[in-house]
Amino acid sequence: MSVLTLHDRDITVQYVLIIHEVEDYPAWKTIFDGAINIRKDAGEISYQLLKYDRDPNSIVHLYRWLSLENARTFFESPTLVEIRKKAGVKAPKFIYLEEIENGVL
């Protein structure tokens, strides 16, 4: 389980996995990067962006969040729905995850 120490207290890190297509990756990425402050203010800790090996417009995001409740509120907000439309996001799938275990081999 990932634990983050923040302001001298341990917090269990939560994860959000998002899978979707975009109309145009460079245009989407510009909007994604422009939303960094609202993502951080909502409780996002970090992210990874991945793409399908044969389709650069099929995107997978893996986020670390302080709270799944905050993540749900953020991703389901009318503001984010509009941002996704503007960014050309097609049919996003949100998966909210709690870590059971991790390791390094």
Side-chain angles (χ1 to χ4, degrees):
M1 182 178 332
S2 288
V3 176
L4 175 72
T5 301
L6 184 67
H7 304 295
D8 295 326
R9 36 174 243 196
D10 290 339
I11 297 169
T12 302
V13 178
Q14 308 295 314
Y15 295 85
V16 179
L17 180 70
I18 303 173
I19 303 168
H20 63 74
E21 290 183 41
V22 297
E23 292 173 10
D24 176 47
Y25 179 79
W28 171 84
K29 183 68 163 78
T30 297
I31 292 171
F32 176 82
D33 290 343
I36 193 166
N37 288 330
I38 63 172
R39 294 179 6 234
K40 184 176 180 179
D41 291 346
E44 181 184 322
I45 300 167
S46 66
Y47 69 92
Q48 285 181 280
L49 292 179
L50 306 122
K51 67 176 182 66
Y52 286 30
D53 66 337
R54 297 180 187 213
D55 183 358
N57 290 325
S58 290
I59 307 300
V60 177
H61 315 230
L62 180 60
Y63 295 96
R64 291 180 8 160
W65 278 74
L66 293 174
S67 154
L68 287 182
E69 182 179 332
N70 288 359
R72 276 191 183 95
T73 299
F74 176 75
F75 288 119
E76 296 171 10
S77 73
T79 300
L80 255 289
V81 170
E82 285 303 311
I83 288 173
R84 283 194 296 272
K85 283 182 190 176
K86 186 184 293 185
V89 172
K90 301 175 188 177
K93 180 177 182 181
F94 297 88
I95 304 167
Y96 298 93
L97 303 162
E98 294 180 354
E99 185 176 291
I100 297 171
E101 182 176 334
N102 72 48
V104 176
L105 301 179

